[in-house]
Every structure is written in structure tokens, then in C-alpha cells.
Amino acid sequence: MALGQRHLTRRRFAAGLASLVTMAATIARSKAALPTIDTHAHVFHRGLKLAPGRRYAPDYDAPLALYLEQLDRNGMTHGVLVQPSFLGTDNSYLVECLKQAGGRLRAIAVIDPTITADELRALDRAGVVGIRLNLVGQPLPDLGAAEWKALLAEVKTMGWQVEIQRNATDLAVLAPQLLDRGVSVVLDHYALPDPKLGVDDSGFRSVLKLGATRNVWVKISAPYRNGAAGEDLAKAAYPLLRDAYGPDRLLWGSDWPHTQFEASQAYANNRQFLDALIADQSERAQVLASPRPLFRF
């Protein structure tokens, strides 16, 4: 081989090696840059107007600054604020917090089904990406009623989600009705199987079947909301949910500030429970990053 050809070959080899190194560095940065998203938290303060007929009202403040501090301390890049039930349908503080957070947060609102399309669009522009139905202790809505049909049509058009908190037996009935309307569905807190029956709850088993739709997500959050054996139930439920839904349809949430469980819960402890629940680091990273498209990060 001529001297010039050898030099050309060496240059090409060096260029190829440099390209591989650059590609590896890009992949490494991409992996390191995966978002870590807390999909369930609440912010409020005692000066806000409380909803009539509320089941509970806190006697302390959980302001935005304190929540952002929790994210920073626990290595979380983004968060999702969920309108607490005791504030009803007044989402003004929620929207104010979204503006202050500069794109780091998204939100799930609580709304009246008679809300106008213009009001929904304003929430959408602010960073709201769905509505919540907290149906604990509440009558089930008639999703076939005209006002609900109109609302769900708007939700579908905007690409929002409908988040539901209810026991697994009722979720197994409600979720298919929402899916029939073409909307994405998120089920709170491991889908709340019956604490006495655990993963043998027939409603929970029906919820597992919804994973095949690929349009339902489940929050692996707040195991303590399922009774004294909540953590054990979560450990039994997680592998079943993972197999039925896949890690990309499971969402972690801190449930900060753990309303009604403040004395026994803390953000760091719930984050550590996730590490114990999902021992595989890559799987855990996938769960923490999976909310990105759903919540428009």
C-alpha cells in the first residue's frame, strides 16, 4: 500500500473511531438526561377558598416553593400538580403555580362538567393536561349524560387524560366507558384493590386486562391509601401491573404532602420505597421517564 493510501486509511479509521466515541457520548448523555417525573402532588395554602361539602381540609400550608424543594432534594426533574378535592373546581392557584414553575410542572384540574370550551382551552394553554375524577365517597357520574359527552369530546380533542380515584371494582366499569369515548385514562394509587382481597380482588384482575388497550396508565403511588398492609399490597401488585401494562404505562407519584397521612409519610420515604419496589435501575428509570409524552414534557 502506498504511503498516501496508508495515511488516508488511518485518517478514515480515526474519523470512524471519533464518530463512535461521539455516538457513545451522545447515548450516555441521552440516558443521563432522562427525565424523572413525579406525577402526583398537591399544593395549597390556608388562605384559599375551600369547597363546600369537602371531606377534609388541611390545617397547614403546602406551597409551590416547598414542593419544588422536594423535587430538587430527591433528584426529580419534573412534577405534576393534581387539584386537591377540598379546593373543588377553583383551579386558579393551580394555574398560578404552573406559571411560576416555568415549564417544570404540568397539572390535572378538577372541573365542573358544564365548563365551557373556552375555559378548557385557557387551562390547556396554562399547562393543564387532564381532569381528575376523585370519586371516593362520591356517586358515580353518568358518563352518558349530555354534559359529560360534550366534556369528554373536548377532552379527546385536546388530547387530555382523565384521572380517576376509585376502588378497583368501579374502575373496571368506569374505565371502559371512558375508553369508548376515545380518551386516555389514568388510574390512581395502584387502582385501589380491596385491601382485604389484595391482588385477588376480581375488580383488580379486571383492571389488569385494561393494559391491553395501551390507553390506560396506572399510578404506583401512595400505597398507604390502601390500608395498613398497603406496602405489602403494592409489592404484590407491581409485578402484575408491570406484566399487564409494561413499565411505559406505569407512573410514579409522591402524593406529597400526603394529606391525612402527614404524620407517618415523607417525600424521601416514598421515593425510597420506589427503589425497593423496582430494584432494576433501568426499569425504574423507564417508569420515572414514561410520563413524558402523556404529560407533554
Side-chain angles (χ1 to χ4, degrees), residues 37-96:
I37 303 169
D38 173 5
T39 67
H40 198 103
H42 309 289
V43 290
F44 50 83
H45 61 78
R46 282 167 289 184
L48 296 170
K49 182 179 179 181
L50 298 175
R54 60 192 177 276
R55 293 181 292 111
Y56 158 83
D59 59 356
Y60 60 93
D61 298 334
L64 174 65
L66 188 55
Y67 175 58
L68 295 177
E69 186 178 311
Q70 298 300 318
L71 292 181
D72 292 339
R73 284 181 179 178
N74 291 276
M76 306 302 294
T77 61
H78 298 81
V80 179
L81 303 178
V82 178
Q83 173 79 341
S85 60
F86 51 80
L87 294 183
T89 59
D90 182 356
N91 297 284
S92 54
Y93 183 63
L94 195 72
V95 169
E96 178 186 332

Side-chain angles (χ1 to χ4, degrees), residues 89 109-115 120 130-135 138-157 160-164 174 177-178 180-183:
T89 59
V110 173
I111 54 101
D112 188 287
T114 60
I115 189 172
L120 286 172
I131 63 172
R132 190 188 197 202
L133 306 181
N134 185 345
L135 300 175
Q138 302 293 323
L140 297 182
D142 178 8
L143 299 179
E147 59 188 18
W148 279 103
K149 286 182 178 180
L151 172 61
L152 293 175
E154 291 290 342
V155 167
K156 178 183 177 181
T157 298
W160 280 14
Q161 61 188 266
V162 178
E163 177 186 310
I164 322 174
L174 285 169
Q177 294 179 33
L178 291 167
D180 286 344
R181 301 291 177 190
V183 299

Side-chain angles (χ1 to χ4, degrees), residues 121-135:
R121 295 295 187 279
L123 290 173
D124 184 72
R125 289 190 297 272
V128 172
V129 294
I131 63 172
R132 190 188 197 202
L133 306 181
N134 185 345
L135 300 175

